[in-house]
Amino acid sequence: ETLDVRGLHVLPGAIDCHVHFRDPGYPHKEDFGTGTAAAAYGGVTTVFDMPNTIPPVGTKEVLAEKHKLAGEAAHVDYGLYGLLGEDTIANVPDLIAGGVIGFKLYMGNTFGKIPSPTTGAMLEAFEVVAPTGKRISLHAETNSIMERRETRLRDFGRIDPLAHLAARPAVVAVEAVSRAAILSEWTGARIHILHISSAAELRPLREAKARGVEITGETCPQYLFLSADDYAEQAGRIRVNPPVREKHNQEPLWAAIADGTIDLIATDHAPHSTEEKTRKDIWTVDCGFPGVETQMPMMLSEVKAGRMSICDYVRLSAFNPARVWGLYPRKGSLTPGSDADIAVVDLDHEWTIEDDKLHSRSKTTPWNGRKTTGLPVHTLVRGRFVMKDRKLIADARGWGQSVHSIQTMPVPSPKNTDQTMVAILQEPKT
Ligand code: NCD
Ligand code: ZN
Ligand code: ZN
């Protein structure tokens, strides 16, 4: 089969390393079938799914069940995160044997009420994961600061949208990023800071990188394009963890993308039902919104507008995620002879994002009505069309495979060792 791509651009498919496909547990929000269909429409050829499903992915049994669901329904390739919590530290070897792309550790409140480990348990968790080479991705918000702030505001009866923003000052994230970086420095565990939302978090990230800590960072379209100014019109629609912040944060985030402090773009695709997103009381609105399908058109629009080159975009959307999770260079071993994960895009195609057009089960996006320029026309996963001429290939359902088997993660060494700590760890158990 030949394909006429005159006038189009052939890009590496995007790797969205932060999605919540809700499977199993919340079929009214999303499942692997609908989530990966949305990915295919968005030019995304690999997704990494978060572990806050029901039950959370903290044991080999739960992981095996999720692999089964994903394997049956996925249109694109995927990695599955294992949960690194206080009571799953002992399960790390089992989870690795069962096939995880990395670990997720929640330092702060999230959807699904996952408890956050104490700093002591975090240190232990980092020590256990470090020698495996796997990366630990962090929801870096400090629970104890966050909860105290929000309880106080609720007690005052302040339930307007801006109160929600004010309840979560950036220090909640800055403290968490700094603490995670120090634990990484002392253990050698590779870490990744998810959903960077504020300018202030860039300082501990830059400083850690300068010290040689194996730390990477992502931001998401919501923090680049939305700000507190949008609460008045969008209210609960843009309620997300971490919250979108005052407008002055946007330019430093764009600058951090340009200078490499932020390594990549992910979406934190967090689908909820329309009812769950439009409740009157903003404190009861579920946090997050879909994004896997709209990232590429939105970012390609910035390429068109001259904010970044197409090569810069590919570095953020595909090359860096592949490098950070050891998927590069790679795919031949999954399907010999066909390693092409490709998004064929029309850089001039004008498109308006609309809630009802989304292929996610979630139909409430802050981008409703937004005009974009640049759209994926065809998506190929391992050489096979999964989306062609803006239509999903129906029998591509089940074509998606887990990419954990091709991952290579050499073991890093700690950047700062404390000899007593090393001795304690090496002490044989009697
Ligand atoms: C995510 C979800 O709904 O699972 N929500 C969100 O607001 N980002 C959880 C998360 O990323 O913390
Ligand atoms: Zn999170
Ligand atoms: Zn998330």
Side-chain angles (χ1 to χ4, degrees):
E1 195 178 5
T2 58
L3 183 68
D4 187 353
V5 294
R6 275 174 292 185
L8 304 177
H9 280 69
V10 179
L11 307 184
I15 298 173
D16 191 340
C17 61
H18 187 168
V19 304
H20 300 264
F21 282 173
R22 312 293 191 206
D23 203 358
Y26 308 94
H28 70 289
K29 294 179 193 279
E30 198 80 289
D31 60 36
F32 275 107
T34 53
T36 57
Y41 278 103
V44 176
T45 49
T46 305
V47 292
F48 296 169
D49 185 61
M50 288 295 172
N52 60 333
T53 35
I54 308 178
V57 187
T59 67
K60 62 171 192 286
E61 291 79 14
V62 175
L63 176 63
E65 180 60 25
K66 196 182 246 199
H67 269 300
K68 191 161 163 284
L69 292 170
E72 283 164 5
H75 300 82
V76 304
D77 285 346
Y78 52 87
L80 302 181
Y81 270 103
L83 179 69
L84 194 58
E86 205 141 334
D87 32 301
T88 65
I89 298 174
N91 302 347
V92 162
D94 273 359
L95 289 167
I96 291 175
V100 290
I101 196 71
F103 291 94
K104 169 74 175 275
L105 190 150
Y106 291 93
M107 298 175 78
N109 282 345
T110 191
F111 181 73
K113 300 207 165 41
I114 312 270
S116 14
T118 61
T119 306
M122 267 182 77
L123 177 62
E124 224 168 278
F126 278 35
E127 285 167 346
V128 169
V129 174
T132 73
K134 292 276 182 189
R135 193 171 289 266
I136 303 170
S137 295
L138 296 134
H139 178 121
E141 291 193 295
T142 300
N143 232 8
S144 56
I145 308 177
M146 184 154 79
E147 285 190 333
R148 222 181 149 91
R149 286 290 169 136
E150 295 197 349
T151 307
R152 267 179 61 187
L153 278 170
R154 270 181 233 216
D155 289 350
F156 292 151
R158 296 265 312 272
I159 54 164
D160 57 298
L162 281 171
H164 169 248
L165 175 78
R168 192 83 62 82
V171 66
V172 170
V174 175
E175 195 277 340
V177 172
S178 313
R179 186 152 46 99
I182 286 169
L183 297 181
S184 164
E185 186 171 2
W186 254 266
T187 57
R190 290 200 165 89
I191 61 171
H192 175 69
I193 307 296
L194 300 160
H195 44 44
I196 294 173
S197 60
S198 67
E201 286 159 88
L202 299 170
R203 186 171 117 178
L205 177 59
R206 281 196 180 104
E207 289 175 353
K209 285 188 167 191
R211 298 199 300 276
V213 175
E214 292 244 12
I215 184 171
T216 53
E218 83 186 22
T219 190
C220 315
Q222 48 271 33
Y223 307 114
L224 295 170
F225 294 104
L226 294 175
S227 76
D229 300 348
D230 297 302
Y231 278 107
E233 197 182 314
Q234 300 242 40
R237 270 182 178 253
I238 60 166
R239 188 175 182 206
V240 59
N241 286 329
V244 305
R245 302 186 184 280
E246 290 92 338
K247 205 170 178 72
H248 65 80
N249 290 279
Q250 285 178 351
E251 278 313 313
L253 290 174
W254 282 105
I257 279 177
D259 72 17
T261 303
I262 290 180
D263 300 83
L264 55 97
I265 301 270
T267 67
D268 193 8
H269 176 90
H272 299 289
S273 73
T274 303
E275 188 275 323
E276 290 159 343
K277 286 306 292 174
T278 55
R279 292 174 185 147
K280 274 234 142 52
D281 176 358
I282 191 148
W283 291 104
T284 66
V285 169
D286 280 343
C287 293
F289 35 78
V292 73
E293 185 171 351
T294 47
Q295 178 271 113
M296 195 175 282
M298 290 183 64
M299 296 305 292
L300 289 179
S301 303
E302 297 303 304
V303 171
K304 182 80 185 174
R307 198 196 279 263
M308 62 173 72
S309 73
I310 190 97
C311 295
D312 291 336
Y313 171 66
V314 165
R315 183 170 47 80
L316 294 162
S317 66
F319 179 75
N320 280 351
R323 191 181 49 82
V324 167
W325 277 277
L327 303 181
Y328 171 87
R330 54 165 249 153
K331 277 248 173 131
S333 56
L334 276 184
T335 309
S338 59
D339 60 353
D341 285 3
I342 285 172
V344 181
V345 302
D346 178 349
L347 289 179
D348 298 316
H349 191 111
E350 293 181 1
W351 191 58
T352 304
I353 300 174
E354 286 167 63
D355 284 345
D356 296 342
K357 281 200 269 188
L358 295 181
H359 295 87
S360 167
R361 201 161 277 150
S362 173
K363 306 292 183 195
T364 316
T365 163
W367 320 122
N368 184 42
R370 194 179 179 93
K371 289 188 167 42
T372 57
T373 307
L375 194 68
V377 181
H378 316 294
T379 305
L380 293 92
V381 173
R382 277 174 284 110
R384 176 185 168 157
F385 283 102
V386 296
M387 191 274 283
K388 192 176 183 190
D389 293 316
R390 299 295 302 156
K391 283 189 199 69
L392 188 71
I393 304 297
D395 64 5
R397 189 182 163 91
W399 175 246
Q401 285 189 44
S402 176
V403 294
H404 73 274
S405 60
I406 59 164
Q407 184 186 38
T408 48
M409 300 294 276
V411 178
S413 50
K415 293 298 169 289
N416 196 342
T417 35
D418 171 335
Q419 290 311 314
T420 320
M421 191 167 106
V422 172
I424 288 169
L425 286 173
Q426 287 169 349
E427 191 104 336
K429 282 205 183 95
T430 45

